[in-house]
Amino acid sequence: MQDIIVVGAGLAGLVAARTLTRAGRRVRVLEAAGRSGGRLATHRQDGFTFESGYQVLFTAYPAVQRQLDLAALDLVSIPPAAVVRRGPQVEVLGDPIRDPASLPRTLVAGSMPLPDKLRLTRLAARLKVGAPHTLLSGPDETTRAYLKRQGFGERSIQSFFAPFFGGIFLKRDLSTSARLFRYYFRMLMDGAVALPREGMDRIPEQLARELDISLNVRVERLEARGGGVSVLTGAGELQAAQVVLATDPWTAAQLLGEPVTHGSVGSTYLYYASSEPLDEQPRLLLNAEDGLINNAHWLSNAVPGRAPAGQSLLAVSVLGISPLDDAALDAHVRGELSRWYPDGAARLRTLRIQRLPHAQFAQPPEFAATLAGHATRIPGVVLASEATSMSGIQGAMESGERAAAILLGDLETQSRPRGA
Ligand SMILES: Cc1cc2nc3c(=O)[nH]c(=O)nc-3n(C[C@H](O)[C@H](O)[C@H](O)COP(=O)(O)OP(=O)(O)OC[C@H]3O[C@@H](n4cnc5c(N)ncnc54)[C@H](O)[C@@H]3O)c2cc1C
């Protein structure tokens, strides 16, 4: 009998498995897919390198600091500024301390009137106080309601906050919990937003290095048996003393026979190649107008090497799952891009269109009160999933740490607060 079986080789499962392996346990990871990393994946196509969806790493995440060798990831920082696009009109809104080059243009940007720029500076100063995880407690409301209460006007909300934080929470209506907004705002201040030069999949690759992982093994049922757990897979039955269930929350709910999260948030991504440089901008592009595009990024401007020599790579995010078929969606997005690049949009080549119906779980105000715990109704099975914390890399990693700590009796890690 195996000491411990970890089901799922996403970030939560990998962190749990590595912690347990390092503590001397015999651990085997079973992964349904043909690779590790779960939702964190990178595609390589015709010399272009882009993620599954548009994903970035916040280096300030405390669990990232504990778990990853950041230097080995060869990170490239994305400028801490965004470009607000209204058709052909372009404005830069930057963090003047960390992106001094953006200061002159930030000062004159009408997308955020001067009183709101001052409000943003005051908000930043307030959210910089205390440990970041404390921002996950306190009164909750929607991010939109919170911004309104801080006095921000509609123009700033529509032009900046909605597309920028909509791109993080995959919901442009800013209906996500304000606690989460405050925490992410702090993460943006405390560290870089970065991409591993060679792809986000270098993160799970680093975590997986010391582990015994069986790929293409799907777990179909878990059952307490004989003081341990029977793990039924497509390839037969295995026995383990204990199991860490680290699938996505939706599969975990099926295997446990009980809900793990409430709802999911989907998103759609289009990747385009260009043989001519349509834009030299390395910053994130925010669409301030109504339309399908929420944000876009010339990845090859930010991370040279993500496109072959002489080529450019554009990632476009459309929030939600579009009812349009791929051809109609592509045509619609190209139509919007032609307002940005009248001379070049028609010559963009579509590399890939990707629909991710379960990108994150829904995180409305007070969602923390409905989070799953690590204990499950199956004796010997412990849950490791972002569903126990928050939807994102921090949530997944800290959940893996905590699940491992439960099996190891490590009280210090178990009692670490969410987000710390
Ligand atoms: C488009 C997109 C953009 C995102 N952007 C960001 C971002 O910028 N920053 C951020 O912090 N987070 C972001 N996230 C969220 C982040 O990727 C996830 O929170 C994190 O990867 C979740 O890790 P996990 O281990 O909890 O789950 P998953 O990554 O879902 O891993 C679960 C694993 O379990 C496996 N599995 C499922 N069923 C079975 C089974 N029956 N048997 C065996 N194995 C099984 C799966 O194949 C998978 O490998 C984004 C997510 C998406 C999709």
Side-chain angles (χ1 to χ4, degrees), residues 6-15 29-41 51-58 61 64 167-170 184 193 200 214 216-221 232-233 245-252 254-255 265-269 317 354 356-361 384-387 390-397 399-400:
V6 175
V7 183
L11 296 180
L14 291 172
V15 165
V29 184
L30 306 179
E31 166 55 51
R35 54 159 195 89
S36 301
R39 268 168 281 164
L40 224 157
E51 325 307 335
S52 171
Y54 177 77
Q55 300 223 29
V56 289
L57 180 68
F58 288 37
Y61 281 146
V64 160
I168 292 177
F169 300 127
L170 309 182
Y184 273 78
V193 176
M200 287 287 274
S214 304
N216 300 305
V217 179
R218 180 172 296 280
V219 170
E220 290 166 358
R221 209 172 55 210
L232 190 71
T233 77
L245 178 55
T247 66
D248 56 276
W250 305 279
T251 306
Q254 283 166 17
L255 288 169
V265 182
S267 203
T268 306
Y269 300 89
S317 303
Q354 197 180 18
L356 299 171
H358 299 298
Q360 295 183 11
F361 65 86
S385 162
E386 55 169 17
M390 60 184 123
S391 204
I393 292 171
Q394 167 70 23
M397 284 188 170
S399 169

Side-chain angles (χ1 to χ4, degrees), residues 209-231:
R209 217 158 276 155
E210 318 154 22
L211 301 177
D212 171 8
I213 303 177
S214 304
L215 300 174
N216 300 305
V217 179
R218 180 172 296 280
V219 170
E220 290 166 358
R221 209 172 55 210
L222 297 169
E223 223 172 77
R225 190 170 318 149
V229 184
S230 142
V231 179

Side-chain angles (χ1 to χ4, degrees), residues 16 20 244 374 382-385 398-408:
L20 291 161
V244 175
H374 290 273
V382 176
L383 185 65
S385 162
E398 72 175 47
S399 169
E401 290 176 329
R402 217 173 289 122
I406 290 167
L407 298 190
L408 295 171

